[in-house]
Amino acid sequence: MARPERLIHTEYSEIMEKSYIDYAMSVIISRAIPDIRDGLKPVQRRTLYDMHTLGLRSDRPYRKSARIVGDTMGKYHPHGDSSIYDALVVMAQDFKKEMPLVDGHGNFGSIEGDGAAAMRYTEARLEKITEEAFLKDLDKDVVDFVPNFDETEKEPEVLPVRIPNLLVNGAEGIAVGMATSIPPHNPGEVIDGVIAYMKNPDITTEEMMKIIKGPDFPTGGVVTNRSELLQIYSTGEGKIKIRGTIETEDLKNGRQQLVVTSIPYTMIGLNIGKFLSDTYALVENHITNDITDISDQSSKEGIRIVIELKKGADASAIKNLIYKKTRLQDTFGVNMLSVADKRPEIMGLVPIIRHHVDFQYEITSRKYKFLLKQAEDKKEIEEGLIKAVDCIDLIIEILRGSKTVKDAKECMTLGETKKIKFKSEKSRADAASLHFSDAQADAILQMRLSKLVGLELDELYKEYDKTCEDIMDYRDILENRSRMARVIIDDLNDLKKKVNTKRKTVITDEEDIVIEEKPIEEENVFVLIDRFGYGRVIDEATFERNKDAALSESRYVINCMNTDRIGVFSDTGRLHTIKVMDLPRGKFRDKGKPLDNLSDYNSSEERILFADSVSSLIKKKILFATKYGMIKAVDGHEFDVSKKSTAATKLMDGDSVIYTGDMENNATVIMKSDKNYYLRIESSSVPEKKKGAIGARGMKLTSGEELTDIYVLPNGEEMSVETENGHLHLDRLKISGRDTRGARHN
């Protein structure tokens, strides 16, 4: 009998809410946000553990990155190879990590934004510090192991990291509804901070910051808001102002050059290229004329960007201008979010260290419990061997008289003598009194005769004494918290000798740079836009000398002031505005720049219909006509907007603008359809509407018919167009009312 179906009625919004929360928490916990204990995201932890299981130690040969990525994906991280390789690459980049965890061999990218080579070309192995501070003691039950995604392997829930990696290497990650951004810090300072907390758990953030002075970025640079760091590190949130370093070098000919020797951490990658173009733009846009050349001479030795200056230029003023106008001065947003006790939480400096210290006590306690159990087991066996040596003749007699190993073991552990032949009843009675443990009996049965040599016996007694000492030591560590603290501190001091580096980032307080910009001298200029969508500016004298060529070769010639803006209308109904100052200025035959690069205009998706200066637009009424026959006039003041791109008109689905331009008073508007119907109307009959309106129907169209052309004819002027049967004089067409059919002219 078929099982009846059960319909469960529930609220759709409740299911969506629960599902989304589950998804969000999965991304937060299992993907994007690091664990506060080891400072690693799951993909980083799994990659390092996989390298550990593959035996890729620092003293062994490199292994192909593709092998590491494939093994990690197959065993622990089934989320695609690119995420694993990206994590591997970042952990090997010394310009991103204060303390790289992976030793990369091959092209692992550059500070200038070059990507790493494909994983089939690069090789990697663990750094020595990763073995010692991240993966050591995994075999001593210091952390829990959990099943992998398909329950065929075990992986550590967290790595037993012995230094606060969350602070040393920082973290960046975007989850659902939250993100983490933690700057890197100097390893030596962080270790000193941990030791200071262990000696004084009531230490304040202010006291801690005398030790951990602030971030220490791998790229160096200068932090310029030291006075705000206390608030940032108390709350775990804020903005750190960072600045690259510029040095002034004197040249032989009396000139000077500025040399950028360090960059902000936020400039890593393609932003170096943007810095070069932004500096070049200072000259191109006439903000300064004192820069003659800029070149990137960076190498493996470090950053070196040279900015050559004119003779007599004020190097200090140019330096301030570069800081103000480029990303050589930037901000690093701090949001110290991590997963603590399986919950995402924003913490300040001291709480992060507190969690780390608690974790150190936990893994140290688990380690010494494991070692104690191991030592106690060893002691038991050693006691059995010593006891066996004292009665070795009896043991040998038991072995010789036994038919099986099982019989001999039962005799040694239980005193069972019935199945064994003895030489005398005394031996049987002595054997019956033996009570070795199972482990002791196994060790005796496996004992070699060489153990009976005098020196070997002495060594056995020494090992036993050492094991007893170890047991006392381990118990003392486990029972005495102050003793355990000393063990952790001694361990940290040893690690500090291996990771301590000189601070790269300077922490200081500097006032914000204020640039007194010279007022722009207003000037009458001409903007030329050609049919390819390239724009440029020439001065009035250049235009007059090349007037005929300018008018014949340019699609739009706009006379305006250099402080004005240009409005560009497209067939998608958008208005794009461009500052005249942003257009390149030069000689008449200079090519200019694509408007795509100066605004949100996209030449591959839209077409320019009209362009004029904003100062001219506000004095006019602008006519819009669409292929579906909609028409309207808009007051030009509506286009005096600050946005780079905005809607100039509203369109119906599938419609597009076929005409935008001036609509003069006392003019007539002629509309032409693709079926050769012409309709001439007075401009006064065109309704004036807001830019957000669709407009009114200008011409009645049949099904599938579209407007193709619009002509604006001032009164008294003549105009004709070519048709299949000759010329049609538009000025002789009958003036009709709007929203009529018009007449056909083939």
Side-chain angles (χ1 to χ4, degrees):
M1 182 176 176
R3 191 175 178 182
E5 292 184 357
R6 280 179 62 223
L7 294 178
I8 300 174
H9 295 275
T10 186
E11 180 63 37
Y12 180 74
S13 61
E14 292 177 3
I15 292 178
M16 289 300 296
E17 181 180 357
K18 182 181 183 305
S19 299
Y20 193 76
I21 290 173
D22 291 345
Y23 161 72
M25 288 306 295
S26 174
V27 173
I28 292 166
I29 304 296
S30 304
R31 294 280 196 97
I33 308 300
D35 192 294
I36 196 169
R37 294 171 292 178
D38 61 8
L40 297 170
K41 300 178 187 179
V43 65
Q44 297 170 321
R45 184 181 305 118
R46 289 165 176 167
T47 303
L48 293 177
Y49 178 66
D50 184 75
M51 294 177 74
H52 173 70
T53 59
L54 288 173
L56 302 184
R57 297 200 298 267
S58 58
D59 57 351
R60 291 191 178 179
Y62 295 94
R63 189 76 65 87
K64 283 288 184 184
S65 299
R67 169 64 196 277
I68 300 167
V69 170
D71 204 60
T72 304
M73 184 166 59
K75 288 182 178 178
Y76 311 115
H77 197 75
H79 299 297
D81 56 0
S82 60
S83 63
I84 300 170
Y85 187 52
D86 288 347
L88 179 72
V89 167
V90 170
M91 288 192 290
Q93 292 176 328
D94 59 2
F95 52 86
K96 281 191 179 177
K97 294 295 181 185
E98 183 71 16
M99 187 178 69
L101 306 180
V102 171
D103 180 8
H105 183 65
N107 177 13
F108 273 79
S110 74
I111 194 172
E112 295 174 323
D114 302 313
M119 67 179 82
R120 62 183 177 273
Y121 299 120
T122 60
E123 299 176 329
R125 64 186 178 188
L126 292 168
E127 287 279 5
K128 189 171 181 59
I129 191 63
T130 312
E131 297 172 33
E132 297 181 0
F134 284 68
L135 299 162
K136 190 176 179 182
D137 297 331
L138 271 174
D139 58 343
K140 294 181 176 61
D141 191 37
V142 290
V143 293
D144 292 332
F145 277 71
V146 295
N148 69 336
F149 63 92
D150 61 0
E151 298 189 358
T152 59
E153 301 277 348
K154 292 281 189 178
E155 61 176 308
E157 185 182 49
V158 64
L159 292 185
V161 178
R162 297 190 287 164
I163 57 178
N165 181 55
L166 192 68
L167 292 174
V168 172
N169 276 327
E172 287 183 9
I174 300 173
V176 179
M178 58 183 66
T180 185
S181 179
I182 303 173
H185 297 80
N186 184 271
E189 291 181 6
V190 171
I191 289 174
D192 287 341
V194 173
I195 294 172
Y197 175 83
M198 293 183 70
K199 292 179 177 178
N200 176 21
D202 296 323
I203 190 170
T204 64
T205 304
E206 187 174 6
E207 291 169 335
M208 182 64 76
M209 291 194 66
K210 292 177 181 177
I211 303 166
I212 304 175
K213 298 176 175 60
D216 188 22
F217 297 106
T219 56
V222 180
V223 170
T224 62
N225 60 332
R226 178 171 56 189
S227 58
E228 298 174 16
L229 293 183
L230 179 59
Q231 174 69 15
I232 293 171
Y233 280 102
S234 296
T235 62
E237 296 176 291
K239 290 184 178 180
I240 295 174
K241 296 178 182 177
I242 49 179
R243 184 184 294 177
T245 307
I246 303 180
E247 296 177 358
T248 304
E249 293 183 357
D250 295 322
L251 303 177
K252 292 180 181 178
N253 54 8
R255 295 167 60 191
Q256 291 181 312
Q257 65 183 19
L258 301 177
V259 181
V260 178
T261 56
S262 70
I263 60 173
Y265 190 62
T266 53
M267 254 180 70
I268 291 175
L270 299 178
N271 282 327
I272 292 182
K274 188 175 188 309
F275 168 73
L276 296 173
S277 62
D278 287 348
T279 307
Y280 175 72
L282 296 177
V283 179
E284 192 178 44
N285 296 330
H286 304 285
I287 295 174
T288 180
N289 295 317
D290 290 332
I291 296 175
T292 59
D293 192 25
I294 179 169
S295 59
D296 187 0
Q297 301 175 10
S298 303
S299 64
K300 290 181 179 179
E301 280 67 45
I303 293 292
R304 181 177 172 83
I305 301 173
V306 178
I307 303 165
E308 297 179 16
L309 306 180
K310 282 183 179 178
K311 190 172 183 178
D314 186 344
S316 179
I318 300 299
K319 186 189 297 186
N320 288 343
L321 182 67
I322 290 170
Y323 280 136
K324 193 72 175 177
K325 297 292 185 180
T326 72
R327 290 195 63 177
L328 197 63
Q329 179 173 272
D330 207 354
T331 57
F332 182 95
V334 176
N335 192 51
M336 298 170 77
L337 175 76
S338 59
V339 176
D341 300 323
K342 297 185 179 181
R343 292 177 57 251
E345 187 176 348
I346 295 173
M347 297 185 198
L349 182 61
V350 173
I352 288 175
I353 292 176
R354 181 186 305 122
H355 273 272
H356 172 77
V357 170
D358 290 344
F359 181 54
Q360 293 311 297
Y361 278 117
E362 179 189 342
I363 62 175
T364 304
S365 177
R366 290 181 63 159
K367 173 184 174 180
Y368 283 98
K369 283 178 182 177
F370 178 87
L371 292 176
L372 177 61
K373 175 67 169 59
Q374 212 175 40
E376 287 174 340
D377 291 344
K378 185 180 177 184
K379 178 189 175 188
E380 178 187 347
I381 291 171
E382 288 171 344
E383 285 177 341
L385 291 175
I386 291 170
K387 182 179 176 183
V389 168
D390 291 340
C391 59
I392 191 66
D393 293 336
L394 179 60
I395 298 294
I396 293 171
E397 190 173 343
I398 293 171
L399 294 175
R400 293 184 67 181
S402 302
K403 289 183 179 180
T404 65
V405 173
K406 181 182 178 184
D407 292 344
K409 186 175 179 181
E410 286 179 352
C411 179
M412 286 187 285
T413 57
L414 303 174
E416 183 62 52
T417 61
K418 292 179 181 179
K419 298 177 183 179
I420 299 172
K421 293 180 180 179
F422 288 95
K423 293 179 180 179
S424 65
E425 287 304 314
K426 183 179 183 306
S427 296
R428 184 181 296 276
D430 291 341
S433 65
L434 294 178
H435 292 289
F436 290 103
S437 67
D438 282 349
Q440 289 173 335
D442 288 335
I444 293 167
L445 290 170
Q446 295 169 16
M447 183 176 68
R448 295 172 303 185
L449 290 175
S450 59
K451 282 284 184 184
L452 302 176
V453 176
L455 291 176
E456 286 287 333
L457 288 173
D458 291 342
E459 188 64 31
L460 178 61
Y461 289 121
K462 288 179 183 177
E463 284 182 11
Y464 177 71
D465 292 340
K466 174 70 168 56
T467 303
C468 292
E469 289 176 10
D470 289 342
I471 290 172
M472 291 177 62
D473 192 42
Y474 299 154
R475 284 176 175 165
D476 184 50
I477 291 171
L478 290 168
E479 294 168 4
N480 190 336
R481 190 174 176 86
S482 62
R483 174 73 198 286
M484 185 179 288
R486 287 201 304 274
V487 169
I488 296 171
I489 290 171
D490 289 343
D491 196 30
L492 286 171
N493 283 323
D494 288 340
L495 286 173
K496 182 183 174 183
K497 295 173 185 176
K498 299 169 184 176
V499 301
N500 199 23
T501 56
K502 187 178 179 182
R503 167 171 276 279
K504 303 179 187 73
T505 301
V506 177
I507 310 287
T508 184
D509 266 318
E510 293 190 18
E511 294 182 4
D512 289 338
I513 293 171
V514 178
I515 302 293
E516 292 185 10
E517 297 186 17
K518 297 177 182 177
I520 299 172
E521 187 177 335
E522 286 197 334
E523 177 187 3
N524 189 41
V525 295
F526 285 83
V527 175
L528 309 181
I529 301 175
D530 64 22
R531 61 192 179 93
F532 300 108
Y534 281 70
R536 67 188 191 278
V537 176
I538 58 174
D539 58 37
E540 194 169 11
T542 303
F543 175 77
E544 291 299 333
R545 287 196 304 272
N546 302 274
K547 187 173 184 178
D548 292 340
L551 294 173
S552 63
E553 296 173 8
S554 303
R555 187 174 175 188
Y556 299 100
V557 177
I558 304 168
N559 182 205
C560 60
M561 303 303 291
N562 60 341
T563 54
D564 207 343
R565 289 173 293 142
I566 301 299
V568 177
F569 296 84
S570 77
D571 60 344
T572 60
R574 305 292 297 176
L575 166 67
H576 306 285
T577 59
I578 304 166
K579 290 181 181 179
V580 175
M581 293 294 293
D582 290 342
L583 287 161
R585 180 169 176 169
K587 299 175 183 177
F588 178 70
R589 289 298 172 190
D590 288 349
K591 188 176 181 181
K593 262 191 180 180
L595 299 187
D596 303 54
N597 296 352
L598 301 166
S599 67
D600 293 330
Y601 169 70
N602 188 338
S603 59
S604 64
E605 297 178 359
E606 50 189 332
R607 181 170 54 91
I608 298 174
L609 297 179
F610 180 60
D612 202 353
S613 65
V614 173
S615 61
S616 178
L617 285 172
I618 61 177
K619 301 173 185 175
K620 301 175 180 178
K621 284 186 172 55
I622 307 302
L623 174 66
F624 289 88
T626 76
K627 69 179 183 180
Y628 286 175
M630 307 307 290
I631 193 168
K632 70 174 180 179
V634 180
D635 190 304
H637 280 94
E638 292 205 40
F639 304 118
D640 186 8
V641 293
S642 58
K643 292 182 179 179
K644 279 191 172 184
S645 180
T646 187
T649 186
K650 188 176 181 181
L651 295 170
M652 293 185 289
D653 289 344
D655 202 0
S656 62
V657 182
I658 63 166
Y659 180 87
T660 305
D662 300 350
M663 193 184 73
E664 301 180 16
N665 292 326
N666 302 319
T668 55
V669 177
I670 298 98
M671 291 168 273
K672 174 185 176 287
S673 78
D674 57 359
K675 294 186 178 179
N676 293 323
Y677 276 84
Y678 290 80
L679 175 64
R680 184 182 181 193
I681 64 173
E682 295 280 4
S683 61
S684 58
S685 67
V686 176
E688 184 173 333
K689 293 183 176 290
K690 296 291 185 182
K691 66 179 183 180
I694 290 177
R697 191 162 66 180
M699 180 181 184
K700 280 187 178 178
L701 302 173
T702 58
S703 177
E705 188 178 11
E706 296 179 352
L707 283 189
T708 58
D709 296 290
I710 302 291
Y711 307 96
V712 177
L713 182 61
N715 279 352
E717 288 192 13
E718 297 180 356
M719 183 184 293
S720 63
V721 294
E722 285 190 18
T723 63
E724 294 177 8
N725 299 325
H727 289 278
L728 175 64
H729 292 274
L730 299 179
D731 54 293
R732 297 178 187 174
L733 291 175
K734 177 185 174 183
I735 297 177
S736 303
R738 181 181 61 79
D739 196 17
T740 57
R741 182 68 177 137
R744 184 169 186 170
H745 296 277
N746 288 327

